[in-house]
Amino acid sequence: MNQLIVYVEGESDRLALTTLLKPLIDKKNSEGIAIEFASVGQSGNMSNNKKALLVKYPRKAYQIIRNNRESAVVLLPDLYPYNVGVPHVNYSQLRDGIMYSFAAMLSEHENELRSRFEVFCFKHDLEVLLLAAIDQLQEYLGMNIRRTWSEEVEEQDDNNPPKKIIQSLFHKAKKRYGVGTAAEILRKAPLEDIRAKCPQSFAPFLEYIEKLEP
């Protein structure tokens, strides 16, 4: 294994993860594994990005893995909103739906490709990492934040996912939440702190990367 490509929904996700995971990316690179984050794009409707990632990118992953036997691909969509791309209201259903699409492309001689394709998700979206980085978030916004969300940051009300909470805080602080904002905030956040606060979905993704071997 010498290459891992992680596909995410948008540029904000790509920039944030590239920044937050820099120590881990550098470590794996020194071991001979190049890690690249790539996005579907930055459309006005992120549901369209999620649908594209779930519907079109299993085939893209198949082509990459088939053509480079030293590569692996991960799809990392948001869990929210539900039932976009494939029927799902939880991670298990999301993963099963994508894996089914991927497996349907394999010939009987290509079963080994399954081990080099995986699916993780943000629960519920990228902004869960910002809720976990509350100290850095407060510093960026220049105000004290009274937490109105669950202490378990990955356990939020489905109708009030992290992105809506973050947008509300930025509105209150009269600041713009742009494509590169999450990366700016997470630049100062210790990766291990974020992992500890996001044990359900984000931590397993980090563990997957850590276990990759050349």
Side-chain angles (χ1 to χ4, degrees), residues 138-192:
Q138 288 184 133
E139 181 182 345
Y140 186 87
L141 292 177
M143 67 182 196
N144 291 323
I145 298 172
R146 182 175 65 86
R147 194 179 68 222
T148 58
W149 57 88
S150 170
E151 191 169 355
E152 298 290 331
V153 294
E154 290 182 310
E155 287 292 345
Q156 300 306 320
D157 180 345
D158 292 345
N159 295 314
N160 195 32
K163 186 167 189 173
K164 288 187 179 180
I165 297 172
I166 292 297
Q167 287 173 336
S168 175
L169 289 171
F170 270 75
H171 180 73
K172 185 176 180 181
K174 295 182 170 58
K175 286 185 177 284
R176 179 177 176 271
Y177 184 60
V179 171
T181 304
E184 272 192 74
I185 295 168
L186 293 172
R187 191 179 306 280
K188 297 180 180 180
L191 179 57
E192 289 308 309

Side-chain angles (χ1 to χ4, degrees), residues 67-78:
N67 293 329
N68 179 1
R69 298 287 169 154
E70 293 298 318
S71 66
V73 175
V74 164
L75 301 191
L76 182 62
D78 293 351

Side-chain angles (χ1 to χ4, degrees), residues 44-78:
N45 186 340
M46 291 305 290
S47 289
N48 291 343
N49 285 7
K50 178 174 180 177
K51 184 176 181 180
L53 184 61
L54 270 56
V55 174
K56 297 179 181 178
Y57 278 68
R59 176 165 295 281
K60 189 175 184 71
Y62 166 71
Q63 291 168 343
I64 291 169
I65 294 169
R66 184 187 62 184
N67 293 329
N68 179 1
R69 298 287 169 154
E70 293 298 318
S71 66
V73 175
V74 164
L75 301 191
L76 182 62
D78 293 351

Side-chain angles (χ1 to χ4, degrees), residues 201-214:
S201 297
F202 189 59
F205 169 60
L206 296 182
E207 289 162 12
Y208 170 86
I209 294 177
E210 288 168 342
K211 290 178 180 177
L212 291 175
E213 295 183 354

Side-chain angles (χ1 to χ4, degrees), residues 86-87 90-102 119:
V86 299
N90 56 46
Y91 165 64
S92 179
Q93 292 172 352
L94 175 67
R95 182 181 183 277
D96 286 351
I98 299 172
M99 284 296 190
Y100 179 83
S101 298
F102 181 78
V119 179

Side-chain angles (χ1 to χ4, degrees), residues 98-162:
I98 299 172
M99 284 296 190
Y100 179 83
S101 298
F102 181 78
M105 300 174 210
L106 303 180
S107 72
E108 59 182 293
H109 305 296
E110 294 180 321
N111 277 330
E112 63 91 12
L113 300 187
R114 292 172 189 253
S115 66
R116 293 191 282 117
F117 178 66
E118 191 50 84
V119 179
F120 295 95
C121 75
F122 289 116
K123 190 181 177 188
H124 295 270
D125 43 45
L126 168 72
E127 284 73 17
V128 70
L129 304 182
L130 300 183
L131 297 186
I134 188 168
D135 290 343
Q136 292 75 27
L137 180 61
Q138 288 184 133
E139 181 182 345
Y140 186 87
L141 292 177
M143 67 182 196
N144 291 323
I145 298 172
R146 182 175 65 86
R147 194 179 68 222
T148 58
W149 57 88
S150 170
E151 191 169 355
E152 298 290 331
V153 294
E154 290 182 310
E155 287 292 345
Q156 300 306 320
D157 180 345
D158 292 345
N159 295 314
N160 195 32

